[in-house]
Amino acid sequence: KFLDPLADKLIVMATLVWMVPMGRIPEWAVALLLARELSITGLRSIASSEGVVIAAGEGGKSKTALQMIGIIALIVGYPYHLSLGPLDLGVVDLVVVGRTLVYISLVFSITSAFQYVGLFSEAVDAKRRRVPRQHVVVARETDERRAELVQPATRDRRRVVVGVGGDEDDHG
């Protein structure tokens, strides 16, 4: 459950790093994405070791989808003349399209990173003050956060589940 998303992130990052010397994506964008991925993966690892599960959300899935489509466009990286039936779109440079999608995914990345840090600190605080034999669930619903007490799954293991606009892959 932990290694599969990590392997996906490593493949994405390696591909982006590979495109820097080709001039398809700037170093600063790759550095920001790499720093974010490493820090959030580390945070999730720490959370997991403390019994805190940071659940994935739609923001991270959107970020991943934008990154994947952007990377495909960067790999193809050729100007194409596009037309849709009678509508002539002219020449579309897929490197520009790919960069734009990666930049948009960068905004999702940074936003969800701040959400992760905020919800992680809330979860740690909730875990410290939690009622014995109950779980604390911190979930993101639209734009407000809520906490509710639920019955424990086991007697000796307590977990805090955090939902955020995260980036865990949806492999199931």
Side-chain angles (χ1 to χ4, degrees):
K1 189 169 180 170
F2 177 74
L3 291 180
D4 189 37
L6 180 63
D8 292 344
K9 289 175 187 186
L10 290 175
I11 291 170
V12 167
M13 289 297 113
T15 305
L16 288 172
V17 168
W18 171 64
M19 291 193 193
V20 168
M22 297 170 67
R24 302 218 173 153
I25 190 87
E27 303 90 5
W28 64 266
V30 175
L32 280 175
L33 285 169
L34 186 60
R36 187 266 182 203
E37 296 301 333
L38 291 174
S39 61
I40 294 304
T41 300
L43 181 71
R44 291 179 79 142
S45 172
I46 292 169
S48 178
S49 70
E50 293 295 320
V52 176
V53 177
I54 302 178
E58 293 304 314
K61 293 176 184 177
S62 299
K63 173 200 69 94
T64 301
L66 287 168
Q67 276 182 356
M68 296 300 170
I69 296 168
I71 287 172
I72 290 169
L74 288 170
I75 289 171
V76 173
Y78 190 79
Y80 288 98
H81 186 160
L82 294 179
S83 60
L84 297 172
L87 180 63
D88 184 17
L89 299 175
V91 176
V92 176
D93 187 354
L94 289 182
V95 171
V96 173
V97 171
R99 263 190 218 141
T100 303
L101 292 174
V102 171
Y103 293 157
I104 294 169
S105 78
L106 186 60
V107 172
F108 278 95
S109 268
I110 292 170
T111 302
S112 69
F114 283 115
Q115 290 173 344
Y116 267 119
V117 171
L119 289 175
F120 177 76
S121 65
E122 283 181 22
V124 169
D125 289 343
K127 186 176 178 182
R128 286 185 185 149
R129 63 178 185 270
R130 139 178 85 200
V131 178
R133 293 191 52 131
Q134 291 183 332
H135 295 292
V136 176
V137 178
V138 180
R140 180 167 172 80
E141 281 189 0
T142 60
D143 290 330
E144 59 188 54
R145 295 186 182 136
R146 66 178 174 81
E148 67 182 288
L149 296 175
V150 296
Q151 291 301 318
T154 62
R155 290 183 184 173
D156 54 336
R157 173 119 180 151
R158 292 175 178 84
R159 280 190 338 183
V160 176
V161 178
V162 179
V164 65
D167 66 341
E168 186 175 314
D169 294 320
D170 55 354
H171 296 310

